[in-house]
Structure formats: structure tokens, C-alpha cells
Amino acid sequence: MPDPTAAILPALSAALADIVARTKSAIVSVHSHRSRASGFIWKPGLIVTADEALADEGEVSVKLADGTVGPASIAGRDHTTDIALLRFDTGNAAPVALSPVVPDLGALSVVVAAEQGAPTAALGTVSLVGRSWRSLRGGEIDARIELDVRLRPSHEGGLALTASGEAIGMTVQGVRRVLVIPSATIGRIAGRLETHGRIARGYLGVGLQPLKLDDGIGAMVMSVDKSGPSATAGIRQGDIIVGWNGEMLSGVRSLLRALGPDSVGSVVDVEIRRGGEPVRVKLTIGERADA
């Protein structure tokens, strides 16, 4: 009896090789102060790479798949989502068309990266798929995608592809796992970096401590920046924030989620308790200086 895998495996192998061949011209190597990473051409003249792989200072160089090497400038970077945008003359190399597709659990995924300019490929599986989540640094990631694949440090910033060749995001090294920063997040953050050079973050100017109350959750004000928005609104150390824009506070994290890029300059109604008495103030959200 003929082996049914005799035709399937060569066909799969050829298909995966074709996917890599169609993508590798858009993959680049990034060198930053003795640190190497990968990246990909997002738009003509613009390269997306992993922010964590870039040094805080010093020159950045890029090597294209055709061997072209030169200095790149940082157009913007966002530590919270691990996305950095570089400006570099990408010549005639075609950008990557990112896909909003979120892969199925257990699906095959190909990671295409670069090693000192030479393209590399690794095959793995999608080991976890979940909803949007917030990184340890506070960045909003549109979907949770983890891969079971080996990722070298120099391959951070590479592309994760589906078995049909759709680019679903950028690979980065998480804590004991390989994460994919999905296409939706890249489009949102890289777009802002291209336009503004950075990601604005809301700022309250207070240090908060979660506090369990008899009737819910509060956030105790442990410190107040004297020149910050909260001080201007009249909030004091020892106050307990219990409401935000007419809704009861569900936790400090929920409050921080409200401090995204679009929150800067907006006015919110804050309900606090001061010495057991309710107080309402209007607060204009500022912009974090280190955004």
C-alpha cells in the first residue's frame, strides 16, 4: 500500500519554502551597539524591529537582504509594546503586507528572520491564542499569540507567518516563551511613531496603592507630584479614588488602562473619599514626560 505521507510531506515542504522565498527580501538585519536583531520593511523607507533589541544610545545600522548596509535613524520607539520604527533607504525592496488574521491554536507558523543579513527560517506551532492583553510595561497588545519555536536573540523582530504565507506579526522573546506582536498592534503603534515619533501616555501625577473597601475597590493616593495634573485638580495624599467618569473603580489597572494615547488632554470626573466624605473633582489628564 502506498505511503499517504509520501506526497503530502514534499508538498508541504515545497509550500513552506515558497513562503520563505516570497518573504525573505523584506527581512533585514539590525545592528545596535553590539546587539543584533531582525526587522522587516513595513513601508518604503521604514523598518519595524523589536525595541528591546535596540541599545538606548549609539548608532543603528541595517543590512538588507541584497547586502546593502548603512546607518539607520530611529523614527520612534515604544517600550510598552516592544515596537521600534527605523528610517532607512530600502530601495526597490517590497514592504511586507501585514495581515489582521489571528491564527488558530495548533496551526503551523514559520518565523522568517535574519542572521547578519542572511535570511533564516524556523517552523513551529501556535501554542496559545488569547484576547488582547497589557504588557508588563503597560502596552496594549491586540491579541495574545505564543509560538512553540526556537528563537535566537538576533531573530527578535522577525516575521511570523501562517502556513499560507500571511504575515501575522513580529516575533519577540517573552518570559520563557516566544510572543507575536500582532499586525493590528504594529499598524496602530508604528503609524503613530511615523507621524509623531513617539507614543503619548496619559499622566495623573500620583502614586497609587490598591485598597479593598467595604463597598468595592479603591486606589489610595500615596504620593502627589506637586506640579502634576492631580495636584492641580486638588487631589491630596491620603485621598482614595473610588470612581472614574461616573463608574466605580474596579482596580488600579483599570484606571491605568484609561491613560492611553487618546486620553491626553481629556477632562475626567474623579470621585474620591477624603476622611470618609465624598469629594468630586475634574482632572485634566497630562502627558507623561518619558512617553
Side-chain angles (χ1 to χ4, degrees):
M1 180 179 294
D3 184 354
T5 63
I8 295 175
L9 293 181
L12 174 62
S13 177
L16 294 176
D18 180 64
I19 288 171
V20 175
R22 287 188 277 112
T23 308
K24 65 182 183 181
S25 62
I27 305 298
V28 308
S29 284
V30 179
H31 187 197
S32 167
H33 191 56
R34 293 179 292 182
S35 174
R36 296 188 182 275
S38 299
F40 60 90
I41 302 174
W42 178 59
K43 290 182 178 181
L46 293 172
I47 291 169
V48 168
T49 188
D51 174 73
E52 197 171 60
L54 295 180
D56 290 334
E57 58 185 19
E59 295 182 352
V60 178
S61 65
V62 166
K63 186 173 184 178
L64 301 181
D66 65 4
T68 302
V69 182
S73 61
I74 298 177
R77 56 196 302 183
D78 178 34
H79 300 305
T80 70
T81 57
D82 208 2
I83 295 171
L85 190 65
L86 307 178
R87 294 192 186 276
F88 185 81
D89 183 3
T90 54
N92 296 323
V96 169
L98 294 175
S99 169
V101 167
V102 175
D104 294 328
L105 181 66
L108 291 177
S109 179
V110 181
V111 175
V112 184
E115 189 71 45
Q116 299 187 40
T120 67
L123 179 63
T125 57
V126 178
S127 58
L128 188 149
V129 177
R131 293 178 293 181
S132 62
W133 59 287
R134 186 171 291 275
S135 73
L136 293 176
R137 293 180 175 179
E140 191 70 29
I141 313 296
D142 290 74
R144 182 102 189 183
I145 305 171
E146 296 182 10
L147 302 181
D148 183 7
V149 68
R150 182 168 177 259
L151 190 73
R152 296 180 182 178
S154 59
H155 297 169
E156 281 202 277
L159 273 177
L161 309 173
T162 66
S164 57
E166 296 169 303
I168 58 173
M170 177 179 69
T171 54
V172 298
Q173 185 65 58
V175 180
R176 296 186 297 276
R177 58 183 61 87
V178 175
L179 303 174
V180 175
I181 306 300
S183 297
T185 306
I186 293 171
R188 174 167 51 84
I189 298 299
R192 288 181 180 270
L193 293 177
E194 179 186 12
T195 304
H196 305 292
R198 63 194 184 93
I199 302 298
R201 302 289 175 188
Y203 178 62
L204 298 180
V206 289
L208 300 174
Q209 176 69 38
L211 183 67
K212 187 174 182 180
L213 305 172
D214 291 339
D215 56 350
I217 300 294
M220 177 172 282
V221 177
M222 306 300 292
S223 61
V224 181
D225 178 357
K226 294 181 180 179
S227 59
S230 291
T232 301
I235 293 177
R236 307 171 187 171
Q237 184 176 359
D239 287 347
I240 301 173
I241 299 176
V242 295
W244 184 270
N245 266 350
E247 297 184 2
M248 297 301 294
L249 198 69
S250 60
V252 173
R253 287 187 178 182
S254 65
L255 191 153
L256 295 178
R257 289 192 187 99
L259 301 179
D262 297 328
S263 70
V264 178
S266 63
V267 179
V268 295
D269 292 314
V270 182
E271 181 181 347
I272 62 178
R273 291 180 187 171
R274 178 178 296 159
E277 297 297 322
V279 178
R280 294 180 182 273
V281 300
K282 288 189 177 295
L283 184 151
T284 302
I285 298 176
E287 182 175 340
R288 186 175 294 278
D290 59 351

